[in-house]
Amino acid sequence: MRPCCFETEILPSHRLMLSRHQDPIIAIATASGRGAVGILRVSGPQLKDWAEFLCGKSLKARQAHYLPLNDAAGESIDQGLALFFPGPHSYTGEDVLEFQAHGGPVVLQLLLARCLEAAKEIEPSSGAAYLPGLRLAEPGEFTQRAFLNDKIDLAQAEAIADLIDASTAAAARSASRSLAGDFSKEIHTLRDGLVHLRMLVEATLDFPEEEIDFLKKADAQGQIERLQTQLEEVLARTQQGALLREGIKVVIAGQPNAGKSSLLNALAGAELAIVTPIAGTTRDVVQQTIQIQGVPVHVIDTAGLREGEGIDEVELIGIQRAWAQIAAADAVLFLHDLTRLHLPTYVHADAQIQASLTAQLPTGVPLLNVWNKSDLASHDTGLTPHHSTAHDIHLSAKTGVGIDLLRAQLLEAAGWQPANEGLYLARERHVQALKRVKSHVASADEHLRAQAQSLDLLAEELRLAQTALNDITGEFSADDLLGVIFSSFCIGK
């Protein structure tokens, strides 16, 4: 029988991740500055005796105790609330002590200093410090401990940060669904299907002498096809969730005086960019984030694209930056001036820019032709936009006519699907992980159709698919990935 470490592969390994996660930690959990209420939070194993020494009274679990918060000399720092949450029934899974006081920064710093001081004081019964090793928490360390103690998985931990950072109401609701585990449940369903398939393949490989064809009898082909269907559905929803979180980067490009700055102002509903009839007014990148149906859209106005004489060094730098922004865009709006279609030099320059955009834009990045100044060109005759299509947009950035159509086209170009009820928030790394899963499952399907000659390869592809899937929830995540994720959290969370 071939050796198999199938069981050990699916056991969580994140408990070995950090050497310091047993230290008690403390942090101010509210934002810096003045506020009505400030929160100080402590987490660690066996906090109860120290907490009662610090508070001067017995603390009932999960009850708010109103008491004086004193310094070492017994002088009052503040009057506030103390709450004790014994592990594992706490946010971190450890004992947690939380103080709620008035939100002045000096008050909270005095409380923090008192806690650190009290941790070093000697307990009479043992002769040792009450809470040795108490230290300031690192960014995201409270949530990291919740992850390490199996209170939440990695996708839920990320959802906490996303909920805090949500820039739209739709993003906040979707992050809340991810935190509640909606996304994780779908990932676990996919994983269960993969585990069952791997079990069948491993059994077939481990008992080749058996005459029973395990795979055919268990309808392995049907199982993998159903798994692929489920995977496509989850990937589509995850891409929508990532779009809602990340938003789309839209760059407005075109010749000078085509109305790029006016279009930015019209989309943002505010005078953000300077607008003049002088060519080259915009010499640097101007960016504004707007919302379209709850989706963040990062609109970037760039310097006018042109070549030839009369370009000074500053404008040239602006043009170079414009092309750099275009290269990193999720969508590009190529803005044309309807009032200059009768000028051969303008039409020729537009055609050159169009060719450069087509050649330089990565595959899949949409290029939308937008014809501006329709209010001024409406009475002109004989002026037909070059390389115009039925999907082009005619508008007036000055009057606002056509702006709503442009907003709708932007969402459509980005792949946004309206009426995404029950959508959960996701990240680009989740999308990439699911794409890897899809690729491995497709290869597994090919090997399964080849039957016995490729069963070892089939088993390996299923293993790789499960590993990629586990990266999402954190069962198998590299320490450096976890460090990046939790370092983006605020202190005290």
Side-chain angles (χ1 to χ4, degrees):
M1 181 180 296
R2 60 190 284 274
C4 175
C5 56
F6 176 68
E7 292 298 330
T8 59
E9 286 177 352
I10 63 174
L11 290 175
S13 61
H14 52 248
R15 294 189 177 279
L16 303 177
M17 187 185 69
L18 296 175
S19 60
R20 301 179 67 200
H21 80 269
Q22 291 295 330
D23 294 346
I25 55 174
I26 184 171
I28 297 171
T30 42
S32 60
R34 298 168 61 191
V37 177
I39 296 175
L40 184 71
R41 183 178 292 159
V42 187
S43 179
Q46 299 177 347
L47 293 184
K48 186 173 177 59
D49 290 344
W50 172 79
E52 294 183 348
F53 160 71
L54 184 64
C55 296
K57 63 181 299 183
S58 177
L59 299 178
K60 294 183 179 180
R62 292 175 293 280
Q63 286 192 17
H65 299 267
Y66 182 68
L67 42 74
L69 305 174
N70 298 330
D71 62 15
E75 297 291 330
S76 177
I77 298 172
D78 195 6
Q79 295 278 333
L81 299 178
L83 298 95
F84 180 68
F85 303 89
H89 305 296
S90 68
Y91 178 74
T92 63
E94 304 171 329
D95 287 353
V96 171
L97 176 65
E98 187 173 289
F99 291 108
Q100 297 181 11
H102 292 97
V106 174
V107 171
L108 294 175
Q109 287 296 333
L110 288 172
L111 285 175
L112 176 64
R114 172 56 187 149
C115 289
L116 291 170
E117 180 185 35
K120 298 176 182 178
E121 294 188 21
I122 303 301
E123 184 180 8
S125 61
S126 66
Y130 266 102
L131 197 63
L134 178 64
R135 59 175 175 81
L136 294 175
E138 297 174 357
E141 193 168 1
F142 285 90
T143 302
Q144 187 181 66
R145 293 195 176 195
F147 166 71
L148 292 172
N149 293 322
D150 294 325
K151 302 294 290 186
I152 54 175
D153 62 30
L154 193 56
Q156 290 173 292
E158 290 171 309
I160 294 171
D162 293 338
L163 182 59
I164 294 171
D165 295 335
S167 59
T168 69
R173 286 192 294 267
S174 297
S176 181
R177 294 188 191 100
S178 293
L179 177 56
D182 289 8
F183 181 38
S184 300
K185 288 175 185 175
E186 297 214 353
I187 298 303
H188 292 155
T189 298
L190 290 173
R191 187 187 63 185
D192 290 345
L194 275 171
V195 168
H196 192 258
L197 271 171
R198 291 188 65 193
M199 177 187 68
L200 293 174
V201 175
E202 295 286 348
T204 304
L205 288 170
D206 286 342
F207 301 99
E209 67 279 1
E210 295 288 340
E211 296 181 358
I212 300 176
D213 188 339
F214 290 102
L215 300 182
K216 285 186 178 180
K217 184 177 180 181
D219 188 26
Q221 187 64 56
Q223 288 190 43
I224 204 168
E225 290 172 0
R226 288 189 292 274
L227 183 63
Q228 286 177 304
T229 300
Q230 293 173 352
L231 183 58
E232 287 286 354
E233 294 172 353
V234 174
L235 178 57
R237 285 194 291 273
T238 303
Q239 288 173 322
Q240 294 290 291
L243 182 61
L244 185 59
R245 178 187 183 272
E246 308 288 347
I248 57 175
K249 179 180 179 181
V250 177
V251 174
I252 306 173
Q255 294 189 59
N257 276 354
K260 297 183 298 299
S261 297
S262 296
L263 181 56
L264 170 64
N265 292 341
L267 286 169
E271 296 295 322
L272 302 173
I274 299 173
V275 178
T276 76
I278 302 171
T281 298
T282 301
R283 298 197 170 201
D284 205 349
V285 171
V286 180
Q287 178 173 330
Q288 177 67 19
T289 298
I290 64 174
Q291 296 179 29
I292 304 177
Q293 296 183 22
V295 178
V297 180
H298 314 292
V299 186
I300 299 172
D301 177 25
T302 59
L305 303 176
R306 62 172 174 165
E307 299 178 355
E309 299 179 356
I311 303 177
D312 60 33
E313 184 178 355
V314 176
E315 186 180 355
L316 180 60
I317 293 173
I319 293 172
Q320 292 171 342
R321 290 183 177 180
W323 280 110
Q325 291 291 335
I326 290 168
D330 297 316
V332 175
L333 302 181
F334 183 13
L335 198 62
H336 310 274
D337 186 347
L338 284 168
T339 66
R340 287 190 277 173
L341 295 183
H342 62 288
L343 301 176
T345 54
Y346 175 81
V347 173
H348 177 69
D350 248 16
Q352 287 184 315
I353 295 173
Q354 182 88 26
S356 297
L357 288 170
T358 303
Q360 295 186 38
L361 281 179
T363 303
V365 175
L367 175 62
L368 303 181
N369 285 293
V370 180
W371 303 88
N372 190 27
K373 305 183 183 180
S374 61
D375 56 317
L376 300 177
S378 59
H379 300 295
D380 293 341
T381 58
L383 300 180
T384 303
H386 52 285
H387 51 73
S388 179
T389 71
H391 298 290
D392 288 3
I393 302 166
H394 292 67
L395 55 77
S396 169
K398 181 178 180 180
T399 66
V401 173
I403 295 296
D404 288 341
L405 175 61
L406 175 59
R407 292 190 178 107
Q409 288 276 7
L410 278 174
L411 290 185
E412 182 179 345
W416 177 252
Q417 299 174 3
N420 277 300
E421 296 297 331
L423 186 66
Y424 44 73
L425 214 61
R427 298 190 174 198
E428 182 59 27
R429 79 169 192 91
H430 303 151
V431 174
Q432 296 305 318
L434 286 169
K435 286 182 176 179
R436 294 197 304 273
V437 176
K438 179 181 177 181
S439 175
H440 289 306
V441 172
S443 297
D445 186 24
E446 294 177 3
H447 294 311
L448 180 60
R449 295 179 188 277
Q451 295 299 323
Q453 297 88 339
S454 301
L455 288 185
D456 280 312
L457 296 176
L458 168 61
E460 177 63 10
E461 292 294 344
L462 291 176
R463 186 190 69 80
L464 292 172
Q466 185 182 338
T467 299
L469 202 58
N470 286 336
D471 282 343
I472 295 175
T473 52
E475 278 85 349
F476 296 102
S477 292
D479 290 1
D480 55 354
L481 170 62
L482 296 177
V484 168
I485 289 171
F486 289 108
S487 66
S488 65
F489 280 61
C490 51
I491 298 290
K493 196 63 179 178

